[in-house]
Amino acid sequence: MSSETKATYKAQSAAAKRRSIQKDEERQESRAAKQARKNQTRMVPVPSQSIVPERDVGKQPILECRNLGIDFGGLKAVDDFNMMIGRTEIAGLIGPNGAGKTTVFNLLTKVYQPTRGTILLDGVDTAGMDTAKVSKAGIARTFQNIRLFGSLTVEDNVRIGLHNQIKCGMWSGMLRLPRHWITEKEYHDKALELLDVFHMADNANDIAGSLPYGAQRRLEIVRALATNPKLLLLDEPAAGMNPSETAELMDTIKHIRDTFGIAILLIEHDMDLVMGICEGIAVLSFGKVIAKGTPYDIQNNPQVIEAYLGKQEDKGGE
Amino acid sequence: MEQLKKMSASTRSTIITYGMVIVLFAVMQALSSAKVISSSTTGLLVPITAYVCLSISLNLVVGISGELSLGHAGFMSVGAFTGIVVASMLADTITLGWARLLVSMLIGGMFAGLAGFLVGVPVMRLHGDYLAIVTLAFGEIIKNLLNNLYVGFDAKGLHLSMKSAQALGMEGGKIIINGPQGAVGISKLSTFLFGFLLVLFTLTVVLNLINSRTGRAIMAVRDNRIAAESVGINTTKYRLIAFVVSAALAGMAGVLYGLNFSSIVPKKFDFNTSILILVFVVLGGMGNIRGGIIAAIVLTILPEKLRFIGDFRMLMYAIVLISVMLVTNNKTFQTKLGMLRERIRRRKDPDLDLVASRAGGDGNE
């Protein structure tokens, strides 16, 4: 045994002795003194990784994920996912293919039930809710592979989006009570108003499945907006769009945020779009958040570059 | 302008369907009262209306809700036998035939709807083919239950037994349902007029339902369940609504059917009957109410009309079925038909084509 190790050993045992004496003393302390000591506990700000736009500071964040995770068998598809989104933030979620971005969306909308962690939507825990209830609570989404009601008209798709906004019972509809006619009028007006935002009012009577690709993507966004969400999740909104369509989409997304005053979280591979409109960005790799920050931070983050492009081997050697 | 055009398109289709039913009724009524058609065909009129109702109601589940139900005859028999019991019990209370039929029909429909609810609640939580399996089993279970059911009615009230007619302990009175021998001595209350009214009622309920908030939700679930959930639609609830409404309507049609014969056995409502109704729906085009009505009428009359070829009757029936399926789903045939239609239209008025379609639109507004 070297002298160095001996010294550490000694120091450790001394520390242990001290601790046991301390414990004895503690036991002797009265309850009142304990209480007093508790009150004196010094509170320090928890270092938080969360960032929100300056204008949203001081307001309840619209979405807060804490330690969110899901396992598929032994695979941790998403692990320890933390994110906070401000009330009117346009946030981005990026990462290499298979990083778990869409899984995060599926967790937020409860298509999958999370294995771990908490989702707070506007301060309300969504635990125990199903997809429909989450929608009512205020999360709307679009899908990576378009999921429209293909055999119905464009207007009907939006009307279905308005399902929980304008209510009319089964009997009113079946017996054509006055309530039915009133709500049908409301449905029609509201649907056209929403379609107009995307200049799609002229297509109101077309069958949704027959629309061109870009229009189908836009219709999905309209349908999602019809549910009157607080948070809109867009899963690759620019997929399959050409640069000019993408530029138009960027304006539209900003326009939605400004008109409806909602937060938007988007998954996108088109970096022009992400860097162009996202205020806060989280980077996901193998189910874990590896970086968070402004577009500038992300672009210069070595970990992000490594995740996307791989690491360059040190060629020099020793 | 756009909206008005669209409204008129969906309303136009509805009006055509109603119009078709009314015209068909008027023609058949005139023919049968003028004794132009044979008595065997006249005897088919009420069953045809019952089958039309069943076709419309099953279309709600198969075409609109997108589920496969193989037990529609089960709901029909629940309605039929409930209706027969109610009609027999009320024989002295309500002397008016049509009123008794109406009350029986309402109660029969309620019982069938209840059966649909009880079957649907557990099954609608599942997805895939489970509904088909469970409804198939339901049809068989109901048939076997009714085969062992004895119901009698006397001064003391209703007697039920699952053993034998003796176990009822009747004091006089009348045995309404006698196990495998089924219901006998039914007073024939159903008329063609009432059948027609039931068709109109069924049609109204189903078409109104489809063109309402509830119907849109049902079709949304059919088109894309995940998307429907994501816009906040409770998929279980709307699938259940479609299923229960369909079951209740099938029960009412069952009452009409049951009260058309002097005796009826539970074996009548077996798997083959369920499939027959499903064939109406599939042949008419799933979700196509009008097509289902036509298929029900043609396929009920066809076997009777093919009697003259004797043993080859069912063979011909099968050939007709197969060829209709093949031809209507043939792309080449569809394009040819479309071209033909276009040519006829052009020949009719070569220049006024656009004007005519515009005028048509305006006429409906």
Side-chain angles (χ1 to χ4, degrees):
Chain A
M1 209 183 269
S2 73
S3 61
E4 221 177 327
T5 6
K6 238 181 215 170
T8 3
Y9 211 74
K10 249 183 201 168
Q12 270 176 359
S13 65
K17 221 176 235 173
R18 241 179 283 135
R19 241 179 276 141
S20 75
I21 293 166
Q22 228 170 9
K23 256 187 196 165
D24 287 343
E25 280 171 359
E26 258 173 53
R27 268 184 218 126
Q28 283 157 13
E29 268 181 345
S30 71
R31 191 170 275 188
K34 242 187 204 169
Q35 194 61 43
R37 209 165 54 90
K38 230 180 211 171
N39 289 343
Q40 282 164 18
T41 310
R42 203 162 69 88
M43 299 299 288
V44 293
V46 181
S48 164
Q49 291 180 306
S50 305
I51 49 165
V52 290
E54 205 177 352
R55 59 174 186 278
D56 292 335
V57 172
K59 290 178 206 154
Q60 172 96 45
I62 204 72
L63 181 79
E64 202 179 339
C65 301
R66 289 190 201 138
N67 306 92
L68 196 60
I70 185 170
D71 299 349
F72 295 124
L75 174 76
K76 290 193 166 167
V78 173
D79 195 24
D80 201 19
F81 180 83
N82 291 292
M83 192 175 203
M84 196 182 271
I85 298 176
R87 290 204 86 87
T88 59
E89 182 179 346
I90 297 180
L93 184 61
I94 61 171
N97 288 328
K101 304 180 293 294
T102 300
T103 309
V104 168
F105 270 25
N106 285 338
L107 287 175
L108 293 179
T109 54
K110 294 299 174 93
V111 173
Y112 301 145
Q113 290 295 334
T115 318
R116 298 170 291 278
T118 319
I119 303 164
L120 295 178
L121 174 69
D122 204 5
V124 180
D125 195 343
T126 63
M129 289 187 186
D130 60 13
T131 310
K133 285 204 183 107
V134 166
S135 160
K136 283 180 206 166
I139 298 183
R141 74 173 290 185
T142 66
F143 296 87
Q144 192 173 354
N145 44 344
I146 300 173
R147 289 177 182 274
L148 286 172
F149 307 123
S151 68
L152 306 179
T153 64
V154 169
E155 190 186 327
D156 277 347
N157 269 269
V158 184
R159 283 177 180 224
I160 291 164
L162 290 164
H163 183 80
N164 286 317
Q165 302 306 309
I166 305 170
K167 301 238 177 161
C168 170
M170 180 186 80
W171 295 107
S172 310
M174 213 189 264
L175 305 174
R176 288 290 186 262
L177 300 181
R179 173 103 190 119
H180 169 80
W181 300 109
I182 296 166
T183 54
E184 285 301 295
K185 175 110 181 51
E186 277 178 52
Y187 269 121
H188 174 64
D189 295 345
K190 200 81 198 295
L192 282 197
E193 189 187 315
L194 280 163
L195 282 169
D196 221 23
V197 175
F198 285 74
H199 315 295
M200 287 178 77
D202 291 342
N203 298 84
N205 302 319
D206 296 351
I207 298 297
S210 70
L211 288 180
Y213 187 79
Q216 291 199 8
R217 284 226 168 269
R218 285 206 300 276
L219 178 57
E220 257 206 326
I221 299 178
V222 180
R223 186 184 65 190
L225 282 173
T227 64
N228 191 21
K230 296 171 186 161
L231 172 66
L232 178 61
L233 308 178
L234 302 175
D235 201 342
E236 299 201 14
M241 287 191 179
N242 63 33
S244 74
E245 283 175 326
T246 307
E248 201 180 312
L249 180 70
M250 284 164 71
D251 291 338
T252 314
I253 292 174
K254 274 191 209 150
H255 180 67
I256 292 171
R257 197 267 311 271
D258 297 337
T259 329
F260 297 90
I262 59 173
I264 295 169
L265 173 62
L266 54 91
I267 292 176
E268 188 49 70
H269 283 300
D270 187 323
M271 285 305 144
D272 288 338
L273 185 141
V274 174
M275 297 304 167
I277 59 169
C278 290
E279 293 158 315
I281 297 174
V283 187
L284 211 59
S285 180
F286 294 109
K288 282 192 190 323
V289 176
I290 56 166
K292 273 192 221 174
T294 62
Y296 181 80
D297 296 340
I298 297 299
Q299 278 166 14
N300 298 300
N301 187 315
Q303 269 182 299
V304 175
I305 296 167
E306 189 193 317
Y308 268 93
L309 303 175
K311 199 172 182 179
Q312 196 162 20
E313 290 283 328
D314 252 347
K315 279 190 184 144
E318 283 187 346
Chain B
M1 182 70 195
E2 281 292 316
Q3 171 60 16
L4 284 169
K5 252 187 203 166
K6 184 233 157 185
M7 291 237 328
S8 67
S10 95
T11 321
R12 199 185 305 146
S13 161
T14 310
I15 289 170
I16 292 173
T17 311
Y18 282 121
M20 186 189 82
V21 170
I22 292 167
V23 168
L24 277 174
F25 167 73
V27 169
M28 291 315 283
Q29 184 72 355
L31 286 180
S32 70
S33 49
K35 307 258 188 253
V36 179
I37 49 175
S38 64
S39 62
S40 72
T41 314
T42 314
L44 274 178
L45 288 177
V46 175
I48 286 174
T49 54
Y51 281 129
V52 166
C53 292
L54 288 161
S55 164
I56 299 170
S57 63
L58 187 63
N59 224 327
L60 186 60
V61 171
V62 176
I64 306 302
S65 169
E67 311 277 355
L68 189 56
S69 170
L70 296 177
H72 222 52
F75 298 116
M76 191 184 170
S77 72
V78 169
F81 284 93
T82 313
I84 289 166
V85 170
V86 172
S88 308
M89 280 169 68
L90 296 175
D92 301 326
T93 329
I94 306 175
T95 43
L96 229 56
W98 63 267
R100 192 138 49 99
L101 180 60
L102 188 69
V103 172
S104 314
M105 218 171 247
L106 288 176
I107 296 176
M110 258 161 55
F111 269 75
L114 186 70
F117 182 75
L118 293 178
V119 175
V121 162
V123 183
M124 286 302 168
R125 289 169 189 282
L126 304 167
H127 300 287
D129 301 326
Y130 295 100
L131 186 68
I133 297 166
V134 174
T135 48
L136 172 63
F138 168 78
E140 292 301 305
I141 291 168
I142 285 292
K143 193 182 78 185
N144 285 315
L145 275 180
L146 288 172
N147 260 333
N148 291 297
L149 181 69
Y150 297 85
V151 178
F153 183 66
D154 62 10
K156 276 187 170 176
L158 209 59
H159 297 258
L160 287 170
S161 166
M162 293 298 284
K163 289 194 194 106
S164 65
Q166 282 77 43
L168 288 171
M170 302 273 290
E171 297 165 7
K174 183 183 154 198
I175 293 175
I176 304 171
I177 300 175
N178 193 10
Q181 283 148 31
V184 282
I186 310 165
S187 46
K188 287 169 73 174
L189 295 172
S190 301
T191 58
F192 184 43
L193 175 67
F194 213 92
F196 163 71
L197 291 177
L198 186 66
V199 170
L200 276 190
F201 174 75
T202 309
L203 202 56
T204 313
V205 166
V206 172
L207 287 178
N208 280 357
L209 193 66
I210 293 173
N211 297 314
S212 74
R213 172 176 177 265
T214 314
R216 281 195 297 271
I218 293 169
M219 289 188 281
V221 177
R222 171 196 67 187
D223 275 11
N224 203 317
R225 187 173 59 82
I226 292 172
E229 275 175 0
S230 86
V231 294
I233 289 172
N234 182 344
T235 53
T236 309
K237 178 182 157 189
Y238 284 99
R239 286 160 76 217
L240 190 60
I241 285 179
F243 191 66
V244 172
V245 169
S246 167
L249 291 174
M252 295 176 88
V255 177
L256 180 78
Y257 189 85
L259 290 176
N260 183 49
F261 300 101
S262 52
S263 72
I264 197 153
V265 289
K267 236 174 75 185
K268 182 82 192 85
F269 307 101
D270 59 356
F271 181 60
N272 287 336
T273 312
S274 292
I275 293 296
L276 182 70
I277 304 165
L278 188 65
V279 167
F280 297 156
V281 174
V282 174
L283 197 72
M286 285 195 250
N288 184 346
I289 305 283
R290 208 185 309 151
I293 295 173
I294 297 169
I297 296 170
V298 172
L299 290 188
T300 315
I301 294 178
L302 196 63
E304 297 301 320
K305 291 290 156 198
L306 287 176
R307 250 178 221 291
F308 68 95
I309 48 170
D311 288 345
F312 294 104
R313 185 164 68 109
M314 288 324 278
L315 181 69
M316 276 307 293
Y317 184 79
I319 289 172
V320 169
L321 269 189
I322 293 168
S323 34
V324 169
M325 299 262 183
L326 279 180
V327 168
T328 50
N329 285 309
N330 191 316
K331 276 274 176 319
T332 330
F333 173 78
Q334 280 170 348
T335 13
K336 285 268 161 63
L337 193 73
M339 279 160 62
L340 194 71
R341 212 177 276 162
E342 191 73 5
R343 195 171 293 171
I344 292 169
R345 211 158 59 99
R346 286 245 182 87
R347 197 167 290 170
K348 250 185 211 165
D349 51 8
D351 310 315
L352 300 172
D353 207 353
L354 266 172
V355 185
S357 70
R358 252 184 226 152
D362 285 331
N364 277 304
E365 281 160 21

